[in-house]
Amino acid sequence: MLLIYTGGWQLPLFGEKADESASGLLRVAFLPAYALAFLLILGRPWNVVRATVRQPFLIILMGVVAASIFWSIQPDVSIRRGFAVGCTTLSGLALAARFRWVELARVFSITFCVLIVACYIACIAFPSIGIMTELFPGAWRGLWLEKNSLGGMMALGCCLLCATALLDPPKAKVWLGFAALSIGLVLMSQSKTSLASLMLGLMALGFVWICQRGPAYAAAATWTGVTGFLLLLAFIVFASDIFFGILGKDATLTGRTQIWEAAFRQIELRPWLGYGYAAVWSDKSGWGPLAWIVHDAKFTPQHAHNSWIEQLVGMGVVGLTAWGFFYLQTMAVALIAVFRDRGAMLAFPFLIVFTLVSLTESIAVVYNDFRWAVFVALAAKLAFSDRAQDAV
């Protein structure tokens, strides 16, 4: 199920430019993932209910997604994609309800082991697929369309594999071996943003490990972490040019600020409810909000390149508020878990990297997306602990 959500099969099967005739096949290809999710739910239906009711803001968020069809500029698109994101969300809930922390870690890690092997095969044996030739020639992209996708996925994978090594000591050497291979893929992708995400995620994992060694260690790690965060924030604010230079970005974040400015002009026209879930970026009418965003940004974006602005565009202030409260609930529970639950080794680093990436990519409340399924699974599992799962 998770392998389907990674989308790593699309490039090898459909090539770089899947035309409209292939879009139907792409949608059908996700149906087995939905079916497997429902099978997981049927195996533990009461646990899924118990895990879901602990996520009231997620329920509200999905309600807003469903309701947005009534004000969507493309109701058929919002219905279809709303169903897809609902199934993706249920997949995450099913994982949280079915598996304990160690088992969930193994599921994620096995998924990445398969991806890592497949990426090396694609890049070494089939370089026409795995290596970029036009933009960023020589950069590895593995099973995805561009290098940042490979780097971002492998940064997450390394964090999850290292966490699994701590949670599953008997197989730690195996997980750490694949983690080293994932680092190699991050380096070969030549994505500096992914490398920064990797370093931040590993530091977050180290923070959890130190905090769980005892109260004194926790106090020292917390003080160091807060101080380090404030210093980094000050560096970004007062030396932004140097910071962007290190990341290989310009002040516009490769045109993202142009998208954001153009998107906000359209948000001002419908601030409360937006234009409908996932309805803007495929609007081909030539007179809708996308046409104006293209006019203002001077190019055609595929999404808002910011998870928070994405919610405003699609579901307005109402949707953004629902997502914001769900995110804050998840992060609050994760911070508490850092000091008392070993599952935080799996959840906290992922959530830190997810937070960073969400500032420049639309990865929250995304249909058929591996990262959203994992976010929901970890959010639900943090609130539905192993002890609660075992309780009758």
Side-chain angles (χ1 to χ4, degrees), residues 63 133 256 341 369:
T133 56
R256 285 175 173 83
D341 191 338
D369 187 86

mmCIF file of all heavy atoms in Angstrom, residues 63 133 256 341 369:
data_model
loop_
_atom_site.group_PDB
_atom_site.id
_atom_site.type_symbol
_atom_site.label_atom_id
_atom_site.label_comp_id
_atom_site.label_asym_id
_atom_site.label_seq_id
_atom_site.Cartn_x
_atom_site.Cartn_y
_atom_site.Cartn_z
ATOM 1 N N GLY A 63 -14.020 16.894 6.869
ATOM 2 C CA GLY A 63 -15.360 17.430 6.636
ATOM 3 C C GLY A 63 -15.324 18.659 5.752
ATOM 4 O O GLY A 63 -16.173 18.838 4.865
ATOM 5 N N THR A 133 19.020 14.462 -17.329
ATOM 6 C CA THR A 133 19.884 14.809 -18.458
ATOM 7 C C THR A 133 19.715 16.243 -18.938
ATOM 8 O O THR A 133 20.655 16.840 -19.460
ATOM 9 C CB THR A 133 19.602 13.864 -19.648
ATOM 10 O OG1 THR A 133 18.199 13.923 -19.976
ATOM 11 C CG2 THR A 133 19.988 12.435 -19.304
ATOM 12 N N ARG A 256 9.338 30.654 -5.826
ATOM 13 C CA ARG A 256 8.207 30.340 -4.949
ATOM 14 C C ARG A 256 7.523 31.594 -4.421
ATOM 15 O O ARG A 256 6.292 31.633 -4.291
ATOM 16 C CB ARG A 256 8.676 29.461 -3.787
ATOM 17 C CG ARG A 256 8.951 28.009 -4.184
ATOM 18 C CD ARG A 256 9.528 27.228 -3.019
ATOM 19 N NE ARG A 256 9.651 25.803 -3.316
ATOM 20 C CZ ARG A 256 10.661 25.257 -3.974
ATOM 21 N NH1 ARG A 256 11.640 26.044 -4.436
ATOM 22 N NH2 ARG A 256 10.716 23.959 -4.196
ATOM 23 N N ASP A 341 7.741 8.453 25.601
ATOM 24 C CA ASP A 341 7.302 7.366 24.725
ATOM 25 C C ASP A 341 8.375 7.095 23.682
ATOM 26 O O ASP A 341 8.788 7.994 22.947
ATOM 27 C CB ASP A 341 5.985 7.752 24.037
ATOM 28 C CG ASP A 341 5.332 6.571 23.328
ATOM 29 O OD1 ASP A 341 6.036 5.604 23.012
ATOM 30 O OD2 ASP A 341 4.110 6.641 23.091
ATOM 31 N N ASP A 369 -0.649 10.473 -1.560
ATOM 32 C CA ASP A 369 0.701 10.910 -1.226
ATOM 33 C C ASP A 369 1.223 10.143 -0.020
ATOM 34 O O ASP A 369 0.571 10.083 1.029
ATOM 35 C CB ASP A 369 0.718 12.414 -0.938
ATOM 36 C CG ASP A 369 2.123 12.948 -0.761
ATOM 37 O OD1 ASP A 369 2.750 13.295 -1.777
ATOM 38 O OD2 ASP A 369 2.598 13.015 0.390
#
